């Protein structure tokens, strides 16, 4: 999410393409569905396919309502100075477990109020996922720690400048953060980290850039991203297969965030890209936990 890292100080000439695991042509696709099929999400969480996208799952009027409620919300926060991003909700990135849970508690009531809409897409998504898991004796729930719970969702709107609105990164490395060794989300380990994005508005651009590489520890360590997953310098991704995923308002997608990915910037900064997002993964054979 940020760009502070030892990688920034590395000499670009010395950066080699990252090495790691790449999937075959059957795996490295983002499957398209015209309706919600929660079983397809389980395929992502089990590493059978890289991603899945449900086109137009959220109706335009519901997207507009949720976007409006975000922009008009007094609890919306600003992050960064030059190209500020806006968010609402807590995030785990580079925080001790207790701090994340404190911040989750501070924003919980505002998020509940925000999500109190007739067609809350998070309820539709997790309700469907819970039903699919129940058929095989599994469950999905918020991540827990000492009787406290992780955050339901994170709203984000990034207006990054430069080549990407959100620099190339992976979502799995942060599950080794030293400050969170006590948090159960780290039990996801090397299993797929499912990145859920519910696109509320997308201006222009705003595609997902998705590389067919899960970097190995050697590469992550060389780039200084072993506990953060960010950023991967562009030079480190040269020659690696990459696909663009077109995303429109109303689309809901889940992809394996262990792969390096980035977000294309809008070419018109007055247009907004806003998503309702969360992370999820299996912590054992039957239990999916979610966090933000
Ligand atoms: Fe990500």
């Amino acid at each position: 999410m940020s760009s502070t890292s030892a990688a920034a100080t590395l000499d670009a000439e010395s950066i080699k393409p990252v090495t790691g695991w790449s999937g075959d042509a059957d795996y490295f696709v983002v499957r398209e569905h015209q309706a919600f099929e929660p079983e397809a999400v389980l395929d992502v969480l089990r590493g059978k396919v890289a991603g899945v996208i449900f086109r137009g799952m959220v109706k335009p009027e519901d997207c507009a309502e949720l976007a409006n409620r975000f922009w008009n919300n007094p609890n919306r926060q600003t992050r960064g100075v030059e190209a500020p991003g806006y968010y609402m909700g807590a995030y785990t990135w580079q925080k001790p477990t207790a701090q994340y849970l404190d911040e989750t508690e501070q924003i919980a009531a505002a998020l509940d109020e925000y999500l109190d809409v007739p067609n809350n897409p998070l309820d539709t998504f997790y309700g469907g996922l819970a039903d699919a898991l129940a058929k095989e004796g599994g469950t999905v729930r918020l991540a827990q720690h000492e009787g406290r719970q992780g955050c339901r969702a994170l709203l984000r709107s990034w207006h990054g400048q430069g080549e990407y609105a959100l620099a190339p990164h992976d979502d799995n490395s942060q599950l080794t953060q030293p400050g969170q060794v006590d948090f159960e989300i780290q039990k996801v380990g090397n299993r797929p980290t499912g990145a859920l994005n519910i696109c509320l508005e997308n201006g222009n651009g705003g595609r997902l850039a998705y590389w067919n590489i899960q970097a190995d520890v050697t590469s992550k360590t060389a780039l200084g991203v072993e506990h953060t997953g960010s950023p991967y310098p562009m030079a480190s991704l040269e020659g690696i297969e990459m696909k663009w995923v077109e995303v429109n308002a109303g689309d809901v997608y889940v992809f394996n965030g262990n792969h390096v990915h980035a977000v294309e910037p809008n070419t018109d900064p007055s247009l907004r890209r806003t998503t309702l997002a969360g992370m999820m993964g299996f912590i054992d054979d039957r239990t999916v936990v979610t966090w933000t």
Side-chain angles (χ1 to χ4, degrees):
M1 283 190 180
S2 162
S3 57
T4 48
S5 163
T9 63
L10 287 176
D11 174 4
E13 298 284 304
S14 69
I15 296 172
K16 305 205 168 41
V18 296
T19 52
W21 183 86
S22 300
D24 63 21
D26 286 339
Y27 164 85
F28 193 65
V29 292
V30 177
R31 285 188 195 148
E32 299 225 5
H33 296 272
Q34 301 305 316
F36 182 39
E37 292 186 30
E39 290 79 8
V41 177
L42 295 178
D43 285 347
V44 176
L45 299 182
R46 293 201 165 104
K48 294 178 181 168
V49 65
V52 62
I53 186 162
F54 307 107
R55 296 292 185 192
M57 183 173 154
V58 186
K59 288 189 205 133
E61 57 269 32
D62 294 331
C63 288
E65 170 70 10
L66 286 166
N68 275 333
R69 288 169 74 98
F70 174 62
W71 291 108
N72 294 322
N73 203 298
N75 294 292
R76 176 170 57 85
Q77 291 177 273
T78 305
R79 188 169 168 189
V81 179
E82 272 184 34
Y86 302 95
Y87 70 97
M88 191 166 82
Y91 54 87
T92 56
W93 205 70
Q94 293 197 311
K95 282 176 193 160
T97 308
Q99 183 186 346
Y100 168 66
L101 296 171
D102 288 347
E103 291 175 5
T104 295
E105 279 167 15
Q106 285 158 16
I107 198 68
L111 265 183
D112 286 347
E113 188 187 339
Y114 169 81
L115 290 166
D116 187 16
V117 289
N119 302 309
N120 173 1
L122 272 188
D123 285 350
T124 306
F125 181 87
Y126 285 117
L129 194 61
D131 290 345
L133 278 161
K135 285 181 199 155
E136 46 187 77
T139 54
V140 54
R141 60 169 171 79
L142 291 171
Q144 299 170 355
H145 179 72
E146 296 177 347
R148 306 167 81 190
Q149 291 186 318
C151 193
R152 288 176 73 185
L154 178 63
L155 283 137
R156 314 184 281 199
S157 188
W158 303 140
H159 299 256
Q161 293 161 341
E163 194 155 8
Y164 290 102
L166 194 54
H169 68 280
D170 77 74
D171 298 330
N172 186 251
S173 301
Q174 54 188 281
L175 294 179
T176 68
Q177 293 180 83
Q180 291 173 18
V181 289
D182 55 351
F183 199 12
E184 66 174 356
I185 64 174
Q186 294 206 350
K187 291 185 192 161
V188 171
N190 295 324
R191 296 184 187 95
T193 311
L196 165 67
N197 284 272
I198 298 171
C199 179
L200 301 178
E201 53 187 353
N202 206 9
N204 58 358
R207 292 178 296 176
L208 174 73
Y210 198 30
W211 281 269
N212 191 4
I213 188 82
Q214 297 184 22
D216 53 31
V217 174
T218 305
S219 291
K220 289 179 180 179
T221 306
L223 295 171
V225 304
E226 66 270 34
H227 299 307
T228 62
S230 180
Y232 288 82
M234 284 309 301
S236 74
L237 299 169
E238 255 172 44
I240 294 173
E241 178 189 9
M242 184 264 251
K243 65 166 84 248
W244 289 107
V245 181
E246 301 269 355
V247 181
N248 301 303
D251 292 345
V252 175
Y253 56 107
V254 179
F255 62 91
N256 184 345
N258 298 16
H259 288 263
V260 179
H261 55 281
V263 174
E264 179 186 43
N266 287 333
T267 50
D268 180 344
S270 69
L271 297 172
R272 294 158 160 173
R273 178 189 204 273
T274 306
T275 57
L276 183 56
M279 312 287 280
M280 70 192 82
F282 277 98
I283 56 168
D284 58 36
D285 289 344
R286 291 167 178 237
T287 313
V288 174
V289 299
T290 77
W291 69 95
T292 51

